[in-house]
Amino acid sequence: MGERAKALLVDDRKDNLLALEAILQGLPVTAVAVESGEAALKQLLTDDFAVILLDAHMPNMDGFETASHIKRRERTRHVPILFLTAADRDAQLALRGYAVGAVDYLTKPFDPWVLRAKVSIFVELWAKNQQLKAQSEATRERDAQWTRLTETVDEAARVLRAGGEDAAAEALALLEKARWGS
């Protein structure tokens, strides 16, 4: 479970990506920077992310179209998207961002401490979710072990009830096999 959370940074300008990476330094998150919506979608095929910081205005595939593709995929539909844009505080753009699945919409220049706080919350939620998944898997495995053990005890009891000169030895062998997990 030692996997580190990742944040996908999507902006067509390298200077903006560098600034975002600097803002996120010191947080328990690995920043993965890409320069287009297409590159973001490719990255999302191979990596899991705690949060996506997405520029709304990019050439070719803009942030809104990129978000729409992200939210259509089963694997990525629950990844929170924070839109970042240099546009003025146009309420229509914010509504458009929320309509395609964004959890928040920040206009540049934004307060880096606010962005850090928001990313921190999503990283923490991601970590808790990973912890819950691990606990769930451990519980499933424990339940499977109990099921196998119960089946073995039942089989040993059937052998003993059936009787025969080797019944006790056969039942003991079944129980020993279960004890050592072979």
Side-chain angles (χ1 to χ4, degrees), residues 63-88:
F64 302 107
E65 185 180 351
T66 303
S68 180
H69 285 291
I70 291 168
K71 293 301 179 178
R72 274 190 244 140
R73 291 181 180 171
E74 181 62 35
R75 176 180 169 155
T76 57
R77 76 172 30 132
H78 299 295
V79 179
I81 298 172
L82 298 172
F83 268 109
L84 308 174
T85 184
D88 58 6

Side-chain angles (χ1 to χ4, degrees), residues 96-140:
R96 187 173 170 206
Y98 292 125
V100 294
V103 295
D104 209 347
Y105 192 95
L106 301 174
T107 55
K108 300 173 191 172
F110 49 80
D111 183 335
W113 294 105
V114 170
L115 182 62
R116 283 177 63 88
K118 290 176 185 286
V119 169
S120 292
I121 288 167
F122 289 114
V123 166
E124 187 176 328
L125 288 171
W126 179 88
K128 297 282 187 204
N129 194 33
Q130 296 304 106
Q131 185 179 14
L132 286 172
K133 285 179 185 177
Q135 288 172 343
S136 176
E137 182 58 35
T139 299
R140 270 194 298 279

Side-chain angles (χ1 to χ4, degrees), residues 2-172:
E3 185 180 355
R4 186 174 163 99
K6 294 179 187 172
L8 182 59
L9 316 179
V10 188
D11 198 306
D12 59 309
R13 296 185 48 181
K14 282 186 190 274
D15 57 334
N16 287 343
L17 291 171
L18 289 172
L20 288 172
E21 288 173 336
I23 290 169
L24 298 181
Q25 271 192 334
L27 293 179
V29 64
T30 300
V32 177
V34 296
E35 295 181 30
S36 69
E38 295 88 346
L41 295 175
K42 287 179 186 171
Q43 194 69 46
L44 286 161
L45 291 173
T46 58
D47 289 325
D48 293 321
F49 291 91
V51 63
I52 300 169
L53 305 182
L54 182 58
D55 182 24
H57 297 290
M58 296 183 291
N60 300 323
M61 182 185 298
D62 69 12
F64 302 107
E65 185 180 351
T66 303
S68 180
H69 285 291
I70 291 168
K71 293 301 179 178
R72 274 190 244 140
R73 291 181 180 171
E74 181 62 35
R75 176 180 169 155
T76 57
R77 76 172 30 132
H78 299 295
V79 179
I81 298 172
L82 298 172
F83 268 109
L84 308 174
T85 184
D88 58 6
R89 301 181 191 280
D90 182 349
Q92 287 302 104
L93 285 179
L95 287 174
R96 187 173 170 206
Y98 292 125
V100 294
V103 295
D104 209 347
Y105 192 95
L106 301 174
T107 55
K108 300 173 191 172
F110 49 80
D111 183 335
W113 294 105
V114 170
L115 182 62
R116 283 177 63 88
K118 290 176 185 286
V119 169
S120 292
I121 288 167
F122 289 114
V123 166
E124 187 176 328
L125 288 171
W126 179 88
K128 297 282 187 204
N129 194 33
Q130 296 304 106
Q131 185 179 14
L132 286 172
K133 285 179 185 177
Q135 288 172 343
S136 176
E137 182 58 35
T139 299
R140 270 194 298 279
E141 179 57 32
R142 194 171 48 250
D143 289 349
Q145 288 172 346
W146 275 110
T147 299
R148 289 190 297 272
L149 180 59
T150 301
E151 290 169 352
T152 302
V153 169
D154 289 346
E155 179 62 22
R158 277 192 293 278
V159 167
L160 288 172
R161 278 193 297 273
E165 68 182 56
D166 294 332
E170 190 179 335
L172 186 58

